[in-house]
Amino acid sequence: MTGGHPDREPVAPATAPASLESILAELRRLALAALDGGHPLAAARIAATADQVEAATWPARPPRPHYGARRA
């Protein structure tokens, strides 16, 4: 007996660093698996985490233009 959780598959050590895209894809795959497994709240939290991580990597938006007269 290995002492691990019986429902979890062992994770093989990665040979190369994973790309952000592959990590996000894996998170979304896990969210779908959680939803299929009857865990909608966990699925929503996993998907939201993937969305937040992806949004955090977007470049900053430029400042909005100022229309009309400037106030001093």
Side-chain angles (χ1 to χ4, degrees), residues 17-28 50 53-58:
S19 68
L20 179 60
E21 291 79 17
S22 66
I23 293 169
L24 293 173
E26 182 65 17
L27 279 173
R28 291 189 171 108
V53 169
E54 183 179 21
T57 64
W58 293 344

Side-chain angles (χ1 to χ4, degrees), residues 44-70:
R45 291 184 74 178
I46 294 168
T49 299
D51 291 345
Q52 289 171 354
V53 169
E54 183 179 21
T57 64
W58 293 344
R61 290 193 277 168
R64 296 183 69 175
H66 296 284
Y67 296 107
R70 291 196 174 215

Side-chain angles (χ1 to χ4, degrees), residues 31-42:
L32 288 175
L35 188 60
D36 289 343
H39 303 286
L41 294 178

